[in-house]
Amino acid sequence: MKKFNFYAGPSILSPYAISQTAEAVNNFAGTGLSLLEISHRSKEFQAVVDETNALVKELLEVPEGYEVLFLGGGASLQFYMAPLNLLKSKASYIDTGTWAHNAIGQAKLVGEVEVVGSSADKNYTYIPKNYTVSPDSDYFHYTSNNTIYGTETLQTPEVSVPLVCDMSSDFMSHPVDVSKYDLIYAGAQKNVGPAGVTIVIVKKDALGQTGRTLPTMLDYQTHVKKGSMFNTPPCLPIYTCLQTLKWYKELGGLKALEKLAVEKSTKLYDEIDRNRLFRGTVATEDRSRMNVCFVMNDEYTELSDQFFEFAKGRGMVGIKGHRSVGGFRASLYNAMPVEGVDALVACMKDFEKSI
Ligand SMILES: *Cc1c(COP(=O)(O)O)cnc(C)c1O
C-alpha cells in the first residue's frame, strides 16, 4: 500500500532528494567514497556547500550583505544564539505557540524582552493582531508558522524595527522580502532536509554590535568568516538540502511552491469545513498552509481513535495531532504531493459515509 507521510518533522522529503542522497552515500560525486566518510574540506564537498549556499540565495532572492550559514544545534539553539548576537538593550517578541514561547525564554537569559502579544489565552488558536512594537527595540522576533497549533503569519509584520524570524516550518514555501530581516533561521527537518542542520540567513551589518564577548561557536561572525566551515558542518543533511533545493528550482521556485501550498491546504480545509464529522481548530484567517490541525466535531469526539485507525488502514501516516492540541494534524510540506491530500480527503469522505 502506498503510504502518505503527514509527519510534522522530521517530515516528508521528495523522492528525488532521498534517492540522490542514497546514491551519494554509496558513491559521492564519483569519488568512489561515501558521502559519510568524505572530508568536509575536500573540493567535492566544498562544491556542495557553495552550491547550496547559492541556491538558498537564488530561491529566496537574498540581497547583498547577507550570509547563508549551515549550523548544528537545531532551531532551538537559535532561540539563544539570536539574542546573544543581536540583542543590545531590548528585543520584542510575540508569543504565538510553544516554539515562540521557548524563544522568549531564551532571550530573557540575554536581556530585556518585551512580549507585545500572546495567544496563550486561547491555546494559541490565533495570531494576535494590532500589537505595537517599541521603536527602540533592537529587533522584533516572530515565528512565521506555528507547527504545533497550525497558525501562520503570511504577511510580513509591519514594524519599524528589523525582523528576526523562526521560519522553520514554512521556510521556502513562499517568497519572502529578506531585506526586512536581520536574521532568518529554519531547522531543515520541516521543509528542506533531514534533521541535523539549521539554515541561517543573517545580515552581516547587524553583527558584532552588542559589546558582548561571545563563545566562539555561538558567534555568527565565526561561521560567516569561515563559510560555515569553522568546524565540521552537518555534511549529509546539507547534501540532502541541496537536492531538495534543486528540485524546488526545477518545480519553478517559491512562487510555484506557494501556489501548490495554497492548492493543497485549500483542498483539505474545504473538506474539514464541509464534512459534518470534523472541524478546524484555529481562526480561519490564521490557518497554516503547512500544518493543518483539525478535530472531530463535538458530537463525534468519541470517533477520534476510529478515524485514526481508518486513516492508518488507508496509508495515512503521522496525522495524530500534537499532544497539546489533540485531534489530527496533517502536515502538507512542499514535498507532499497533491495526490496525498486527495487521498486524505477521500479518506475523510469515506469515513463520513460509514458513520
Ligand atoms: C520544529 C521547530 C522548532 C525546533 O526545532 P529543533 O530543530 O528541534 O530545535 C523550532 N521552531 C519551529 C517553528 C519548529 O517547527
Side-chain angles (χ1 to χ4, degrees):
M1 183 186 29
K2 186 161 171 58
K3 298 268 174 116
F4 293 103
N5 179 1
F6 292 97
Y7 278 126
S11 41
I12 188 166
L13 289 168
S14 68
Y16 175 78
I18 292 172
S19 65
Q20 290 292 109
T21 304
E23 204 175 303
V25 166
N26 282 316
N27 181 0
F28 169 60
T31 56
L33 298 176
S34 170
L35 170 62
L36 303 176
E37 58 183 358
I38 195 93
S39 167
H40 62 295
R41 309 268 177 215
S42 65
K43 73 172 188 326
E44 291 86 357
F45 190 74
Q46 184 63 55
V48 168
V49 171
D50 292 345
E51 197 180 350
T52 315
N53 200 302
L55 262 180
V56 170
K57 287 184 171 168
E58 183 182 332
L59 287 165
L60 270 171
E61 297 181 28
V62 176
E64 288 293 309
Y66 286 79
E67 201 69 40
V68 177
L69 305 174
F70 306 103
L71 306 180
S76 299
L77 181 61
Q78 299 307 311
F79 295 163
Y80 185 60
M81 217 168 145
L84 200 62
N85 282 263
L86 299 172
L87 197 162
K88 287 168 271 184
S89 53
K90 181 171 81 172
S92 301
Y93 279 68
I94 187 159
D95 176 25
T96 55
T98 304
W99 300 121
H101 181 80
N102 291 354
I104 291 166
Q106 294 297 295
K108 282 182 176 168
L109 300 174
V110 178
E112 191 190 333
V113 174
E114 166 189 68
V115 180
V116 301
S118 171
S119 48
D121 59 337
K122 291 189 178 162
N123 199 31
Y124 298 119
T125 50
Y126 68 103
I127 307 273
K129 319 270 177 341
N130 305 319
Y131 49 83
T132 341
V133 173
S134 300
D136 62 343
S137 262
D138 296 319
Y139 62 83
F140 173 57
H141 177 286
Y142 73 107
T143 312
S144 53
N145 184 69
N146 299 283
T147 325
I148 294 174
Y149 303 90
T151 58
E152 187 173 15
T153 299
L154 287 159
Q155 301 293 334
T156 310
E158 302 262 349
V159 297
S160 60
V161 302
L163 298 169
V164 171
C165 186
D166 175 1
M167 272 187 206
S168 294
S169 51
D170 64 352
F171 190 62
M172 295 279 173
S173 69
H174 61 87
V176 169
D177 181 358
V178 176
S179 71
K180 297 218 158 72
Y181 297 79
D182 272 2
L183 180 75
I184 291 170
Y185 59 92
Q189 74 272 24
K190 307 288 163 53
N191 220 0
V192 196
V197 64
T198 304
I199 299 178
V200 171
I201 302 169
V202 65
K203 187 176 194 167
K204 281 184 276 188
D205 283 353
L207 298 176
Q209 291 177 25
T210 63
R212 249 174 235 121
T213 304
L214 302 182
T216 308
M217 279 296 287
L218 298 185
D219 187 345
Y220 290 121
Q221 288 184 306
T222 302
H223 305 287
V224 168
K225 273 184 211 132
K226 298 286 181 177
S228 300
M229 291 280 205
F230 171 75
N231 68 323
T232 320
C235 298
L236 180 129
I238 293 172
Y239 186 84
T240 309
C241 288
L242 172 58
Q243 307 315 312
T244 300
L245 298 176
K246 282 185 183 171
W247 184 66
Y248 286 174
K249 186 176 169 175
E250 189 70 29
L251 287 177
L254 301 194
K255 283 209 181 84
L257 287 166
E258 176 168 39
K259 202 160 154 256
L260 206 60
V262 170
E263 184 194 339
K264 290 185 293 184
S265 56
T266 303
K267 267 190 176 179
L268 186 49
Y269 284 120
D270 281 353
E271 177 59 18
I272 290 165
D273 293 342
R274 187 210 61 78
N275 195 311
R276 72 190 152 96
L277 303 183
F278 302 99
R279 65 173 169 83
T281 52
V282 304
T284 316
E285 70 275 15
D286 298 325
R287 282 175 162 180
S288 166
R289 294 167 181 165
M290 296 286 111
N291 311 98
V292 178
C293 294
F294 57 105
V295 293
M296 302 307 296
N297 240 330
D298 294 341
E299 329 66 295
Y300 301 107
T301 43
E302 75 284 359
L303 296 178
S304 255
D305 291 346
Q306 208 180 314
F307 176 68
F308 185 75
E309 288 306 318
F310 183 84
K312 201 168 134 190
R314 303 260 294 246
M316 309 299 135
V317 179
I319 63 164
K320 214 179 201 56
H322 189 274
R323 60 190 178 279
S324 50
V325 179
F328 310 99
R329 171 176 52 175
S331 296
L332 311 181
Y333 296 120
N334 290 347
M336 170 59 64
V338 177
E339 181 201 359
V341 180
D342 289 341
L344 178 56
V345 167
C347 196
M348 292 163 76
K349 285 188 196 296
D350 291 347
F351 186 67
E352 183 189 29
K353 282 186 205 130
S354 77
I355 297 304

